[in-house]
Amino acid sequence: MDKEVAAMPRHVGFIMDGNGRWAQRRNRKRTFGHKKGAEVIEEVVNECFLEGVEVVSLFAFSTENMSRPQEEKDRIFDLLGKFLKKYSKKLVEEKIRLIVSGDLSPLPQNLAGECALQMAKTAGFSEKTLNIAINYGAKAEITAAVNSLIREGKTEVTEEDIEGRLYTGGLPPVDLVVRTSGEQRLSNFMLWQCAYAELYFTDVLWPDFHKEEVKNALVWYGTRKRRFGGV
Ligand code: FPP
């Protein structure tokens, strides 16, 4: 990485937005945009790990996206399954731990099974982590964490208690969030983990987001002064 980068984020989260618009601008179906969007993921993730990022989180599908037409959901689930199958060799070769965050119970059984299998196979790796959020919502994640502590008899909880029950328990917090397509919001993505994240917004649509764009975001991050509430 260029020497002007002062600091490298340990954890980067991507809100992969704009697939539908990318396709519509080409008079194609939204699902074509998702296919193209899935194709750039490997390049983006590789670039992050190459630059020294330890954890990459991808917002692939929100709980709210569950209300999309069945055809679009099926296509996204299919792409995710194909991605996991294709990427599984690399996960092992490059010792990348896979985490899938979200409620997997309403997903097609073969996809939920593939997620569980790849998570189990890579659970022992610790240097690099790929976290894919699917049927995920941060408020639901935090609520479930607190409820599980209550079920264990806790009447008062600490931040550490809650943190330990999140899908990302034990991982560093998100340092940098990248959202494509010009929208400037978090959309219920990793709200706890993003408490002090720097937010990078770009007009580039996700299918056009390549490694040069990753570099731009990392260089921008290096210019930020992070005070974490201090002076
Ligand atoms: C947001 O664009 C994108 C999604 C809801 C789905 C993202 C899914 C993929 C990139 C493919 C599958 C994932 C993996 C990990 C292989 P949008 O549809 O909201 O676009 P729009 O805002 O232009 O309508």
Side-chain angles (χ1 to χ4, degrees):
M1 170 52 75
D2 313 344
K3 60 178 179 304
E4 68 261 34
V5 175
M8 190 54 64
R10 294 182 69 193
H11 187 166
V12 183
F14 291 95
I15 303 180
M16 309 184 288
D17 202 3
N19 293 346
R21 275 164 285 167
W22 188 91
Q24 278 158 352
R25 282 179 198 174
R26 288 160 179 77
N27 290 321
R28 302 289 296 259
K29 282 165 83 174
R30 295 175 53 80
T31 48
F32 182 64
H34 296 315
K35 179 172 179 283
K36 289 290 166 188
E39 282 171 17
V40 299
I41 288 176
E42 192 167 340
E43 180 182 336
V44 169
V45 174
N46 283 350
E47 183 61 21
C48 286
F49 288 142
L50 213 69
E51 298 289 0
V53 173
E54 294 165 46
V55 186
V56 177
S57 289
L58 303 172
F59 203 4
F61 200 80
S62 70
T63 318
E64 292 73 27
N65 292 151
M66 273 305 215
S67 63
R68 291 194 178 194
Q70 194 61 43
E71 186 201 349
E72 184 171 344
K73 289 193 287 184
D74 286 345
R75 187 67 183 120
I76 292 175
F77 295 152
D78 181 54
L79 286 166
L80 183 62
K82 288 202 170 98
F83 171 81
L84 285 179
K85 276 218 168 77
K86 183 162 171 266
Y87 206 64
S88 62
K89 203 164 151 231
K90 194 161 196 160
L91 289 173
V92 174
E93 276 171 7
E94 299 199 2
K95 296 190 169 37
I96 301 168
R97 178 181 169 204
L98 178 78
I99 297 178
V100 182
S101 297
D103 176 12
L104 304 188
S105 58
L107 301 188
Q109 243 180 12
N110 56 349
L111 176 59
E114 187 66 28
C115 291
L117 176 72
Q118 299 304 333
M119 280 195 280
K121 267 172 71 176
T122 61
F125 302 141
S126 56
E127 272 169 43
K128 290 181 261 186
T129 302
L130 174 62
N131 169 35
I132 302 180
I134 182 147
N135 192 24
Y136 169 87
K139 287 185 181 180
E141 177 186 36
I142 297 165
T143 307
V146 173
N147 277 327
S148 87
L149 292 160
I150 291 172
R151 276 195 301 275
E152 281 178 16
K154 287 226 183 243
T155 51
E156 209 176 305
V157 297
T158 64
E159 291 187 8
E160 289 70 28
D161 289 334
I162 295 175
E163 232 155 56
R165 299 295 163 107
L166 302 179
Y167 294 109
T168 50
L171 294 176
V174 177
D175 299 302
L176 170 65
V177 173
V178 175
R179 182 167 189 151
T180 54
S181 91
E183 308 294 349
Q184 303 199 356
R185 54 179 175 265
L186 282 177
S187 302
N188 205 13
F189 177 62
M190 301 182 81
L191 298 181
W192 182 287
Q193 298 89 334
C194 287
Y196 278 98
E198 299 289 331
L199 308 177
Y200 179 86
F201 301 109
T202 169
D203 287 338
V204 174
L205 303 178
W206 179 257
D208 290 327
F209 196 85
H210 291 284
K211 65 179 180 192
E212 287 311 315
E213 312 293 341
V214 176
K215 286 194 175 124
N216 290 342
L218 295 176
V219 167
W220 175 86
Y221 176 85
T223 66
R224 305 299 301 160
K225 285 195 176 59
R226 307 190 74 201
R227 291 189 297 274
F228 297 99
V231 286

